[in-house]
Amino acid sequence: AQKVTQAQTEISVVEKEDVTLDCVYETRDTTYYLFWYKQPPSGELVFLIRRNSFDEQNEISGRYSWNFQKSTSSFNFTITASQVVDSAVYFCALSEVRGAQKLVFGQGTRLTINP
Amino acid sequence: SQTIHQWPATLVQPVGSPLSLECTVEGTSNPNLYWYRQAAGRGLQLLFYSVGIGQISSEVPQNLSASRPQDRQFILSSKKLLLSDSGFYLCAWSVDSGSYNEQFFGPGTRLTVL
């Protein structure tokens, strides 16, 4: 069975600090997809990134960066120079490659950026 | 362009009352449709998914049911709500593209059962 664990339930930092959100996953599939979503207070899910399991290159998008390490089954998300607008709940998720491609989500990490 | 609608946006219902949440997708055909639930302080859990009209797969045994009466309509129902049915319900859609089928989420329905 697939499982995603986000051990950090809540994180609170001061604006401009860097923060890393951890994600560890379990799957028996040899190929799979990994995701990060942002959920602002409005509740709607905002897609941030999708990573295919055979692409282990780290990715940077502005202040956001993702570190995928297949050897440790981790897909961590770092926000550099955090801003108040980054405050949200962040979800890591895992999807099968074939079939209905159902998403398995972690419990989420509530990130609060204090001014 | 494709859009996904959910209604109502918020709902407060007494225990034991029926439930009907609706999700519709515009601008695409034969989408895969999904219902997720987010209980308070918890992650999202897939409840049902559908790959075609009348085809429903249930992921978690529960007090809820789903139906797909039309190609782009997905309904979540209950005959008698429980307190534990409270949560944020998200509908999503995707289209088979031969590779990854990205899921697009609706705005959600916040259900409170009292």
Side-chain angles (χ1 to χ4, degrees):
Chain A
Q2 297 180 323
K3 183 180 178 182
V4 176
T5 301
Q6 295 178 253
Q8 304 150 308
T9 306
E10 294 191 28
I11 299 176
S12 181
V13 300
V14 177
E15 198 172 19
K16 297 184 182 178
E17 286 186 13
D18 299 347
V19 58
T20 295
L21 309 181
D22 298 332
C23 173
V24 175
Y25 62 92
E26 297 174 27
T27 181
R28 293 181 180 177
D29 294 342
T30 54
T31 57
Y32 46 88
Y33 293 107
L34 294 165
F35 306 81
W36 276 95
Y37 285 87
K38 176 181 179 180
Q39 186 180 43
S42 63
E44 202 163 340
L45 280 183
V46 178
F47 169 81
L48 296 179
I49 189 174
R50 179 182 78 244
R51 170 66 68 214
N52 192 307
S53 57
F54 54 74
D55 180 3
E56 290 194 64
Q57 283 192 341
N58 292 329
E59 182 156 341
I60 298 174
S61 176
R63 296 184 296 107
Y64 295 172
S65 63
W66 291 269
N67 183 355
F68 174 33
Q69 293 197 353
K70 206 168 182 178
S71 60
T72 56
S73 297
S74 65
F75 186 42
N76 297 336
F77 173 31
T78 297
I79 301 175
T80 305
S82 60
Q83 300 176 2
V84 173
V85 293
D86 295 326
S87 297
V89 180
Y90 290 85
F91 290 99
C92 181
L94 172 69
S95 165
E96 56 197 359
V97 170
R98 297 185 183 84
Q101 296 185 341
K102 299 167 285 185
L103 286 167
V104 175
F105 286 88
Q107 295 296 86
T109 297
R110 181 175 299 278
L111 176 64
T112 302
I113 310 297
N114 300 298
Chain B
S1 64
Q2 300 90 357
T3 55
I4 179 170
H5 304 279
Q6 285 186 246
W7 63 88
T10 60
L11 190 60
V12 180
Q13 291 285 95
V15 169
S17 64
L19 173 73
S20 180
L21 302 181
E22 190 165 342
C23 170
T24 59
V25 181
E26 295 177 356
T28 187
S29 297
N30 197 30
N32 297 324
L33 296 171
Y34 309 81
W35 277 112
Y36 292 88
R37 177 172 63 195
Q38 182 180 16
R42 301 183 65 180
L44 289 108
Q45 182 182 40
L46 178 65
L47 302 176
F48 301 95
Y49 68 93
S50 171
V51 298
I53 295 175
Q55 300 179 58
I56 309 294
S57 296
S58 174
E59 288 293 296
V60 182
Q62 61 214 318
N63 184 43
L64 302 168
S65 62
S67 62
R68 185 170 177 175
Q70 299 180 40
D71 181 43
R72 290 169 290 177
Q73 184 184 32
F74 205 22
I75 297 173
L76 185 69
S77 304
S78 174
K79 292 182 180 177
K80 289 186 178 181
L81 283 169
L82 305 173
L83 286 175
S84 57
D85 292 324
S86 293
F88 189 56
Y89 289 82
L90 282 161
C91 181
W93 69 273
S94 70
V95 176
D96 285 337
S97 63
S99 58
Y100 178 70
N101 308 331
E102 183 173 351
Q103 289 187 29
F104 300 91
F105 286 84
T109 294
R110 197 166 298 280
L111 171 65
T112 303
V113 182
L114 301 175

